[in-house]
Amino acid sequence: MSLSSVCRRAAAVTAGAVALTIGLALPALAHVSINPGTAEQGGFTKVAFRVPNERDNASTEKVEVEFPTDHPLPFVSVKPVPGWDVKVVTGKLPKPVTTEYGEITEAVTKVTWSGGKIGPSQFQEFEVSMGMLPKDTDQLTFPTTQTYTGGEVVKWADPPKADGSEADRPVPTLRLTPSTGGDEHGAGAASPSATATVAAHESEAAKPAAQASSSDGTARLLGGAGLLAGVVGVVVGVLGLRRGGRAS
């Protein structure tokens, strides 16, 4: 086998592996999701609702995120997104919820972004700082409605299927893990000290959500480099065997 044939085969293997990696990642990127997808119970967090545009002939023009009322979040703030208007709706809860920080009778129930556009093959992240996260549940769900310029409305609100597999339009879910103690405090929800704690936590939580995306890209880049290095090693090994055979 000639050197050129070996190189062509190595290039084909590399291209196929890269295409397979990208193909496996696409389904996850097509869903509305929360990034990062986990946070500690009892603390504050900053998340980004990542909304991809799935249509080739329309743009996303409105995104509505419903907040839980069975586990309400007393403190919610949003980061401005250039070109988008945001409306935070606060309403009375169906029934008061008693927490360690006091009784909550009203909370943020919905956040709506509108007026902007997410074009074909694009996505947008909408950042929210929120807390205090409940300690009596291991997840919070945020049903999301995506509206396109052509009038199509897509509801991302499906729970996992009975067999545990992912639904067609899965509801964005934030997984909650036991607290390590760093975010816990004893201040009441309505006290001045609680207000100061909120500001401190929101400042700490204000790390760019793009870091998660950057980490993903770095991991994929390193994985691709490793794959290419492996292919080069195979080529060098084949050439070494051929030279060794000729020498003998």
Side-chain angles (χ1 to χ4, degrees):
M1 182 184 298
S2 66
L3 176 60
S4 60
S5 296
V6 172
C7 291
R8 283 197 300 270
R9 290 191 177 185
V13 170
T14 301
V18 172
L20 178 60
T21 301
I22 295 175
L24 291 175
L26 285 179
L29 294 177
H31 298 332
V32 173
S33 59
I34 296 180
N35 296 279
T38 61
E40 288 190 2
Q41 296 172 335
F44 282 73
T45 189
K46 192 199 76 167
V47 300
F49 291 92
R50 183 177 296 171
V51 182
N53 191 85
E54 295 186 311
R55 302 295 178 260
D56 296 329
N57 58 353
S59 298
T60 297
E61 63 179 0
K62 184 167 68 171
V63 176
E64 301 170 89
V65 178
E66 298 176 27
F67 279 62
T69 56
D70 55 344
H71 293 92
L73 300 169
F75 306 100
V76 175
S77 60
V78 298
K79 182 176 181 179
V81 181
W84 291 80
D85 298 321
V86 60
K87 181 180 180 181
V88 179
V89 177
T90 301
K92 286 192 175 297
L93 301 175
K95 61 179 181 179
V97 176
T98 301
T99 71
E100 62 181 295
Y101 308 107
E103 186 178 79
I104 301 175
T105 59
E106 62 179 35
V108 171
T109 57
K110 180 188 294 187
V111 178
T112 301
W113 289 269
S114 61
K117 285 188 177 181
I118 308 173
S121 302
Q122 297 179 351
F123 74 91
Q124 178 65 58
E125 290 187 333
F126 302 94
E127 296 180 341
V128 177
S129 176
M130 55 190 180
M132 302 155 189
L133 300 177
K135 296 181 179 180
D136 57 350
T137 183
D138 60 1
Q139 67 177 27
L140 295 175
T141 58
F142 298 82
T144 301
T145 303
Q146 182 177 13
T147 303
Y148 288 91
T149 51
E152 180 185 7
V153 177
V154 178
K155 185 81 169 180
W156 299 91
D158 297 340
K161 296 180 180 179
D163 60 3
S165 61
E166 188 177 63
D168 295 332
R169 293 177 178 173
V171 59
T173 301
L174 179 65
R175 309 287 179 185
L176 300 180
T177 60
S179 174
T180 58
D183 282 336
E184 291 186 3
H185 54 81
S191 67
S193 58
T195 302
T197 304
V198 171
H201 279 291
E202 289 187 346
S203 176
E204 181 180 353
K207 297 177 181 179
Q211 288 181 357
S213 177
S214 175
S215 298
D216 291 343
T218 302
R220 291 180 183 175
L221 178 61
L222 292 176
L227 177 62
L228 181 58
V231 172
V232 171
V234 172
V235 173
V236 172
V238 170
L239 293 177
L241 289 175
R242 286 172 56 84
R243 291 175 182 172
R246 288 176 182 175
S248 62

